Amino acid sequence: MLVLREGVVTEVGPLAPEQQLLVDVPGRGPRAATADTELLGQCEVGDSVIVNTQAADLSLGSGGFDVVHVNLTRGLGGKGVPGAHVMKLNYSSLQHAVLPVEDGSDAPPPPRPVGVCFLHGQLAPFAWAVARGRQGTRLGYIQGGGGALPGGHSRTVIELREQGLLAGTITAGASYGGEAEAITLAGGIAHGIGELGWDAAVVAPGPGIIGSGSRLGHGGMAALDAAHTALALGCPVVVAPRMSNGDARDRHQGCSHHTQTVLDLLLAPVSVAVPTGAAGEITRGCGHTIVELDVELAAYGESGLPGTTMGRSIDEDPLFFGAALAGGALLAATIATAS
């Protein structure tokens, strides 16, 4: 069963796609909570809300806060989107109708490059490196599965959009709340590089990741679907591997087992970008092309964009950021070749 509790909002943050709150839940005290304002509406101090407390009760490092399920005081007057008829989160209590991009043209997309990331924390250095390598590139972001589902949960995406490093966002599959909604990842890619004219797309999960420590039970497997989908659409695929020399867990040291598993399971070759000197960390799988590139760690560190991953700084985990920067640099070079 869902772990739902009633509480009272005691503090509210700025109105944004996700509003940060403090909610006093009897027996648990005031705790951090978040509310998806585009889905549930605005919260005010004194509102009676129902929150899902499961993640915070389990002290999860990713998503370890309460989530507002419904605002009983002011959240019961929603009318939905006029004309929308396709459901996201269908058959759940949070199902809502959207206007999917697949209602448009069915023309095959042009074979423009698609980048694939394993963690949301790779997105900022990846996008920065694309812009650094090829100014004026219209890079779009497609949020798939594996991490947070709400499209408004990422402050990084908001910042990248404000700085012009992303040309737009699409939430695909079970993800929702982006600037546009896609029923499928294929539909999102086709719409972005076809109808919207993006020069390239990057597919990455939302913040956080699902994980069990096993070979197949983790959110990184979403990268397998993303790469296969892009390949099936005729798009060159550039993978930014999850790598680390600062993660204390052996399975994520060097090339993370998340990435190596996906590379082993891919049914066709892709290009894998790594910082210079790191190619030996990766097994090539089914003939993948491993490309070593010099990366600009110091320049990225001075950019003001997010510079930590799971609490580790660039200096503490340069390989993590280097692999993401290499991915963006290779995508920029691939765009130049494709055009």
Side-chain angles (χ1 to χ4, degrees):
M1 292 180 64
L2 294 174
V3 182
L4 300 177
R5 300 291 184 267
E6 188 168 358
V8 176
V9 177
T10 61
E11 187 175 318
V12 299
L15 187 61
E18 286 215 350
Q19 190 177 23
Q20 307 303 310
L21 315 167
L22 281 181
V23 176
D24 190 1
V25 178
R28 287 167 168 79
R31 297 202 308 197
T34 184
D36 188 331
T37 58
E38 294 187 351
L39 196 62
L40 305 175
Q42 181 178 355
C43 291
E44 299 287 356
V45 171
D47 284 357
S48 176
V49 295
I50 302 295
V51 290
N52 186 318
T53 67
Q54 179 103 78
D57 290 347
L58 293 174
S59 300
L60 297 182
S62 177
F65 44 82
D66 294 337
V67 180
V68 176
H69 183 69
V70 64
N71 185 330
L72 298 175
T73 301
R74 66 186 74 247
L76 302 180
K79 297 180 180 178
V81 177
H85 61 280
V86 172
M87 306 301 282
K88 283 281 183 103
L89 301 181
N90 45 312
Y91 299 99
S92 77
S93 65
L94 292 178
Q95 64 181 351
H96 58 283
V98 301
L99 298 168
V101 298
E102 289 91 344
D103 277 351
S105 171
D106 274 337
R112 292 177 181 158
V114 173
V116 175
C117 294
F118 284 78
L119 289 174
H120 194 74
Q122 295 176 290
L123 182 61
F126 187 98
W128 180 88
V130 171
R132 189 84 162 182
R134 187 172 173 81
Q135 292 186 352
T137 293
R138 300 189 71 245
L139 175 69
Y141 167 52
I142 300 174
Q143 181 174 315
L149 296 180
H153 188 60
S154 172
R155 291 183 290 275
T156 296
V157 169
I158 295 172
E159 186 173 0
L160 293 174
R161 287 288 282 129
E162 289 175 347
Q163 294 197 22
L165 297 178
L166 289 178
T169 67
I170 296 173
T171 40
S175 295
Y176 65 92
E179 295 169 27
E181 302 276 13
I183 299 171
T184 67
L185 188 57
I189 293 173
H191 183 74
I193 63 178
E195 300 298 307
L196 299 182
W198 294 345
D199 298 310
V202 56
V203 182
I209 190 170
I210 304 167
S212 66
S214 67
R215 180 170 180 265
L216 301 178
H218 54 81
M221 294 298 289
L224 183 67
D225 298 333
H228 277 154
T229 299
L231 288 169
L233 292 172
C235 300
V237 172
V238 171
V239 169
R242 177 178 179 177
M243 306 183 79
S244 176
N245 51 7
D247 198 310
R249 297 166 292 182
D250 288 343
R251 64 184 184 272
H252 293 306
Q253 278 284 323
C255 180
S256 167
H257 78 108
H258 287 190
T259 295
Q260 193 59 64
T261 297
V262 167
L263 295 180
D264 290 343
L265 293 176
L266 272 166
L267 299 176
V270 297
S271 297
V272 185
V274 298
T276 298
E281 300 287 349
I282 294 179
T283 303
R284 292 178 183 270
C286 65
H288 303 306
T289 300
I290 313 299
V291 182
E292 293 191 354
L293 299 100
D294 293 332
V295 296
E296 300 180 273
L297 275 173
Y300 177 74
E302 295 170 355
S303 69
L305 291 169
T308 60
T309 175
M310 300 182 184
R312 301 187 300 275
S313 68
I314 294 177
D315 291 337
E316 294 168 323
D317 202 347
L319 186 55
F320 176 88
F321 290 93
L325 290 167
L330 183 56
L331 189 76
T334 306
I335 294 169
T337 302
S339 61

